[in-house]
Amino acid sequence: MEIKYLILFFFCGSALCCDIAPAYWCDTEAIASQCGVLPACSDRLYPSYATEADPVVVGVYFECLCPDSIRFITNMLFPTWVKLRTTGVMKIMMVPYGKATMNRHGSGYNFTCQHGPQECEGNIIENCLLNETNYDEAKYLPVIQCMERSPQPVAAAEQCITRSGLNWTNINACASSVNGTMLMHKAGLATAALNPSLTWVPWITINGIHTDHIQSSAITDLLTLVCETYKGEKPRSCQHTKHGIGAYARRQRFSNKLYFRSRG
Ligand SMILES: *[C@@H]1O[C@H](CO)[C@@H](O)[C@H](O)[C@H]1NC(C)=O
Ligand SMILES: *[C@@H]1O[C@H](CO)[C@@H](O)[C@H](O)[C@H]1NC(C)=O
Ligand SMILES: *[C@@H]1O[C@H](CO)[C@@H](O)[C@H](O)[C@H]1NC(C)=O
Ligand SMILES: *[C@@H]1O[C@H](CO)[C@@H](O)[C@H](O)[C@H]1NC(C)=O
């Protein structure tokens, strides 16, 4: 190694700067840039950058008292997040509103929710929670999970929020003020902007896209859907998905068995 550096320093004073065998060009960033091959060397020089890709954004348009939303959040979204949360593969964007409607009322809005006034109250609390945690899923998702798996999601809010170390006083103040109304209104606008429009709750988007196929894959196996969508190097947690290496190996062993049995 030292010898290589010596060669580099020795030659770099002159026009013969890149007079070193191509096999060494990717050894260091300095040589690569002197030899004009930095982009080509990036895989070797910066392996982590080379495999980095944007996280898959999972949009969840839901209602806090809707049984299908509750089932999806508690049985699919949260467990998938637990598996992927340290990998940077998935980013969650939750929008608590669903099929609610709004009317202008004075300077604010009135909402009507599919599952009654309690659901509006819960959706507003969750909108305030999202804002209060700066939309950081590591902070808000455990609270939403705690609420949604409770038989009374709205009544459970205070305890779930406090137990997560968040400030109930602030979130409750937001939810009981015009701020909560404005946040809910914003969620309503985001929901109304969906294309195609929401006809089912929870409504799932992947990188902003919704199709029937995406929806049914998300509902049945979100982990596989996210892992297959992710363009970077797959983390270990992706290896046991339906189409992952684990399943592939099992299928392979099984077909090997059949193969040998049929010959045997
Ligand atoms: C809005 O809610 C207020 C009470 O908060 C009620 O008096 C009013 O009638 C409602 N308006 C509409 C349009 O629902
Ligand atoms: C919540 O926040 C308020 C104002 O930011 C603060 O006065 C209060 O002590 C906090 N409560 C808890 C339990 O941290
Ligand atoms: C409402 O929002 C304003 C502006 O963002 C903020 O200053 C105020 O503290 C908030 N009030 C409540 C009760 O959350
Ligand atoms: C959103 O949260 C921030 C603190 O993170 C707060 O200052 C702001 O008032 C909140 N917005 C609303 C509309 O409550």
Side-chain angles (χ1 to χ4, degrees), residues 128 131-134 174 179-180 182-183:
C128 286
N131 178 67
E132 204 68 33
T133 55
N134 206 14
C174 164
N179 291 17
M182 295 323 279
L183 291 168

Side-chain angles (χ1 to χ4, degrees), residues 47-212:
S48 57
Y49 293 131
T51 57
E52 223 170 63
D54 290 337
V56 176
V57 181
V58 179
V60 183
Y61 298 77
F62 72 106
E63 297 165 346
C64 71
L65 297 185
C66 154
D68 291 315
S69 296
I70 292 173
R71 203 171 309 123
F72 175 71
I73 291 167
T74 58
N75 296 346
M76 189 58 66
L77 183 68
F78 189 74
T80 304
W81 176 76
V82 168
K83 288 205 181 91
L84 294 176
R85 72 198 155 117
T86 59
T87 64
V89 161
M90 176 169 73
K91 168 103 194 70
I92 296 171
M93 191 193 70
M94 296 192 86
V95 183
Y97 188 85
K99 291 188 171 175
T101 56
M102 54 186 156
N103 293 301
R104 272 217 89 97
H105 175 66
S107 57
Y109 294 89
N110 267 15
F111 302 97
T112 309
C113 295
Q114 259 211 114
H115 303 90
Q118 259 227 325
E119 179 166 79
C120 287
E121 199 189 317
N123 285 350
I124 291 177
I125 292 173
E126 290 181 342
N127 275 295
C128 286
L129 164 74
L130 292 170
N131 178 67
E132 204 68 33
T133 55
N134 206 14
Y135 301 86
D136 178 352
E137 62 203 42
K139 293 191 180 137
Y140 72 69
L141 198 57
V143 177
I144 291 186
Q145 167 75 357
C146 170
M147 286 173 66
E148 300 300 344
R149 63 190 295 239
S150 150
Q152 308 243 21
V154 184
E158 176 172 2
Q159 203 180 50
C160 292
I161 286 169
T162 310
R163 279 200 187 153
S164 285
L166 295 168
N167 191 316
W168 167 250
T169 311
N170 291 348
I171 291 169
N172 190 34
C174 164
S176 339
S177 73
V178 66
N179 291 17
T181 308
M182 295 323 279
L183 291 168
M184 178 85 157
H185 174 243
K186 219 173 78 181
L189 294 182
T191 305
L194 283 168
N195 182 15
S197 327
L198 170 147
T199 54
W200 179 258
V201 180
W203 189 256
I204 313 300
T205 61
I206 296 288
N207 293 335
I209 299 168
H210 176 96
T211 64
D212 289 349

Side-chain angles (χ1 to χ4, degrees), residues 4 8 20 24-37:
K4 260 181 248 152
L8 178 71
I20 184 167
Y24 301 93
W25 286 357
C26 290
D27 278 8
T28 73
E29 188 181 313
I31 301 174
S33 78
Q34 298 274 9
C35 297
V37 293

